[in-house]
Amino acid sequence: MSLDPSFVGRTYPPTAPYQVGREKIREFATAIGATDPAHHDPAAARALGHPDVVAPPTFPVIVTMAASRQIVEDPALGVDYSRVVHGDQRFAYTRPVVAGDELVCVNTIEEVTNRGGHGFLTTRTDVSTVAGEPVVAVWSKIVVRGEA
C-alpha cells in the first residue's frame, strides 16, 4: 500500500503537555555520552544563563517520537510501521530545552512521495511551551519499505 499524498499539509492537534524533568535530562545525557556539566549540574547550567539543566540537542526526540504516533497510527495515511526505517532527522532551535519546560508538539506532514515501491514521509514537529513559546522544530523522514 502506498502512502496517500493528499496528506501533505495536514496538521494534527497539539499533544498533551510533556513535563521535562531534570533526572530525565541527566539520564538521556548519560545514555548518549554527553558529559557537558550543563546537562547534569544545575549550578553549571545557571552559570551559563539557563534556569536549570540543559537537554542535549537530540533530547526532543523523546517528545517527538511519542507525538509522531498521531501520524503513524492514522489508518488513512497507510503507514505500516513494521516496514519503517529511519531516513533523516534535523533540528532548528529557537532556544534550548531545559528542565522544568512543559512542552507540546504539533505535527505537520510536509512531504509524501512514493518511489520504487517505497513510501517516503517527511514530517515537521513544532515543539513549544504550553504558553506558546517556540522551542524547536524537528523534521523527520521515514521510509516505508515496499513489499519484496
Side-chain angles (χ1 to χ4, degrees), residues 47-72:
L48 296 172
H50 303 289
D52 208 323
V53 295
V54 179
T58 55
F59 181 86
V61 167
I62 291 174
V63 183
T64 61
M65 280 293 292
S68 71
R69 291 201 329 254
Q70 289 178 315
I71 296 169
V72 172

Side-chain angles (χ1 to χ4, degrees), residues 108-113 120-124 139-142:
T108 301
I109 297 178
E110 289 205 335
E111 183 179 37
V112 174
T113 57
F120 298 82
L121 173 67
T122 302
T123 61
R124 184 187 78 241
W139 286 267
S140 178
K141 180 174 285 201
I142 62 171

Side-chain angles (χ1 to χ4, degrees), residues 74-141:
D74 188 335
L77 177 59
V79 175
D80 176 355
Y81 202 72
S82 71
R83 305 196 63 76
V84 167
V85 293
H86 186 266
D88 188 32
Q89 190 101 37
R90 66 186 171 97
F91 304 82
Y93 274 89
T94 303
R95 69 155 177 86
V97 173
V98 295
D101 279 342
E102 205 170 348
L103 303 175
V104 294
C105 298
V106 174
N107 291 307
T108 301
I109 297 178
E110 289 205 335
E111 183 179 37
V112 174
T113 57
N114 293 286
R115 297 187 308 269
H118 307 294
F120 298 82
L121 173 67
T122 302
T123 61
R124 184 187 78 241
T125 304
D126 293 308
V127 182
S128 60
T129 66
V130 293
E133 177 190 7
V135 177
V136 61
V138 180
W139 286 267
S140 178
K141 180 174 285 201

